[in-house]
Amino acid sequence: MTSAAASPPAPSGRRRPAWAGRNYSLLAVAAFITTLGAHGALIASAFAVLDAGGDGGDVGLVAAARTLFLVVFLLVGGAVADRLPRHHVMVAANALNFLSQGAFALLVLQGEPKLWQMMALSALGGTGQAFFNPAAEGMLMASVSGEQASRAFAMFRMGMSGAAVGGAALGGAMVAAIGPGWVLAVDAAAFAVAGALRMFLDVSHIAPRVPGSGLLSDMRDGWREFIGRPWLWTIVAQFSVVVAVVGAAESVFGPLVARDELGGAGPWGIALGAFGVGTILGGVLMMRWKPRRLLFAATLSVFSLALPSAALAVPVPLGVLIAVMFVSGVTIEIFGVSWITALHQEIPEEKLSRVSAYDWFGSVAMVPLATALAGPAESAFGRTPSLWGCAALVVVATTAVLFVPDVRNLRRRPSVPVAASALPVVQETDVIPR
């Protein structure tokens, strides 16, 4: 990608680094705001369901409605983001999230929200996110260029990790102090502010979109771009398994182990917080470290994601679990920054959002299924064997990816040239989520 695809460099008199141009700065600030609000809203929506008389199953239904619609519309969202100006798609998605979350907040504040109403509004939020994610990822990658791209991505992800940790802590405290309805209202306001900021993105340096032959044709073109790169589809397939089993272990088995073996929700919250701190320090590491074999380093780092499931299977003392979660947080950032850097390097700019949509789709599609099967798996095999199974699946899927030559051999280029529409002779990677 050329510098023409990125926002103009900052004037020399400014303190921010040259790679942190106007677009990058606007995207980073807006994403920090929405991430802060969204992680508080996750807690608030769960307590809103419980306060309305629902149980754990109802909380799961509201969460599943969001995930289902996210998955259903992701590929369409990616195609739309490559047909229309990405910042327009992002602002429209933010507007939808503002309206849906605002309506959710109003229902809760008025009292007695119905389960179907909360599910419907959660589904609207997931739909907005399905259009936003591919557009945002494409816009971010188009906002940086050159040798400092990986540093920019590391800084961006570090900010998001900090917002996630802070948002969860602040959201929990606010739910206790003022109630879930007001926290949801704050999240709605965050979407409004972020959407307003994104309206000021400068797209004059990005080539105008050339209309294609149709939305379905664009989706097929994105599929050919995706499936024609072995490193890309194999790593996405790997993460379909990894994200699903790690999600099941942490959302279903983790709280159960914490209740029975560690002393309850408090210790489990500390362990999850250690993961968040690890992601921040992982971002700091990736600000300085630039592995030459991007995908090889990224894939090796994924093995550590088997450790939390194994630690819960034993189960280990809380101190060991905290250390394991911290290491996992660090290594997922090694993967994330290397992955998005490789995608930025190898995928044509005009197809970034479509490829990103297939990446997101593959990474989240199996999460609802894995979460739903966690309970039956525990009943059929027992909790400990199920957790060892989760750890084994991470190791097997990650080992399989190392047999792909492009994963082992893709090199970081000293600068990022314009990615050609044709597939390069040596092919490489993208980013997770996540």
Side-chain angles (χ1 to χ4, degrees), residues 17 29 44 55 130 138 192 276 383-384 395:
V29 172
D55 56 17
R383 185 186 303 168
T384 296
V395 172

Side-chain angles (χ1 to χ4, degrees), residues 126-310:
T127 302
Q129 207 66 26
F131 284 86
F132 177 84
N133 286 350
E137 203 154 272
M139 193 72 195
L140 174 64
M141 284 185 278
S143 72
V144 297
S145 62
E147 296 184 25
Q148 298 301 319
S150 62
R151 175 170 291 186
F153 297 142
M155 176 66 79
F156 186 91
R157 289 176 62 92
M158 188 166 58
M160 298 312 98
S161 297
V165 174
L170 184 61
M174 289 177 66
V175 167
I178 61 177
W182 288 110
V183 177
L184 292 168
V186 169
D187 186 41
F191 279 116
V193 172
L197 288 173
R198 287 163 177 143
M199 291 177 65
F200 292 98
L201 290 168
D202 179 10
V203 296
S204 61
H205 298 272
I206 299 177
R209 298 280 179 257
V210 178
S213 55
L215 189 64
L216 290 178
S217 176
D218 284 353
M219 291 174 67
R220 288 194 296 269
D221 190 33
W223 171 252
R224 287 192 293 268
E225 189 77 28
F226 174 80
I227 204 67
R229 300 172 182 269
W231 54 267
L232 181 53
W233 66 261
T234 53
I235 289 182
V236 171
Q238 169 203 10
F239 266 78
S240 293
V241 176
V242 171
V243 173
V245 298
V246 170
E250 294 189 359
S251 65
V252 178
F253 296 125
L256 294 174
V257 173
R259 181 195 64 189
D260 297 340
E261 306 289 344
L262 300 177
W268 180 237
I270 294 172
L272 292 177
F275 178 86
V277 173
T279 63
I280 296 172
L281 293 186
V284 174
L285 170 65
M286 295 307 290
M287 288 281 291
R288 297 180 176 275
W289 184 41
K290 297 181 180 180
R292 289 190 60 200
R293 291 197 286 174
L294 285 166
L295 298 182
F296 185 63
T299 301
L300 289 179
S301 71
V302 178
F303 281 107
S304 70
L305 296 184
L307 295 177
S309 295

Side-chain angles (χ1 to χ4, degrees), residues 81-177:
D82 277 339
R83 291 175 65 85
L84 302 176
R86 292 189 182 113
H87 67 305
H88 289 172
V89 177
M90 295 166 69
V91 171
N94 283 163
L96 178 58
N97 285 128
F98 163 69
L99 292 172
S100 62
Q101 205 71 326
F104 199 162
L106 188 60
L107 278 174
V108 174
L109 290 172
Q110 288 179 336
E112 299 300 325
K114 306 297 183 185
L115 178 61
W116 70 266
Q117 294 172 323
M118 293 186 284
M119 289 179 64
L121 291 170
S122 184
L124 281 177
T127 302
Q129 207 66 26
F131 284 86
F132 177 84
N133 286 350
E137 203 154 272
M139 193 72 195
L140 174 64
M141 284 185 278
S143 72
V144 297
S145 62
E147 296 184 25
Q148 298 301 319
S150 62
R151 175 170 291 186
F153 297 142
M155 176 66 79
F156 186 91
R157 289 176 62 92
M158 188 166 58
M160 298 312 98
S161 297
V165 174
L170 184 61
M174 289 177 66
V175 167

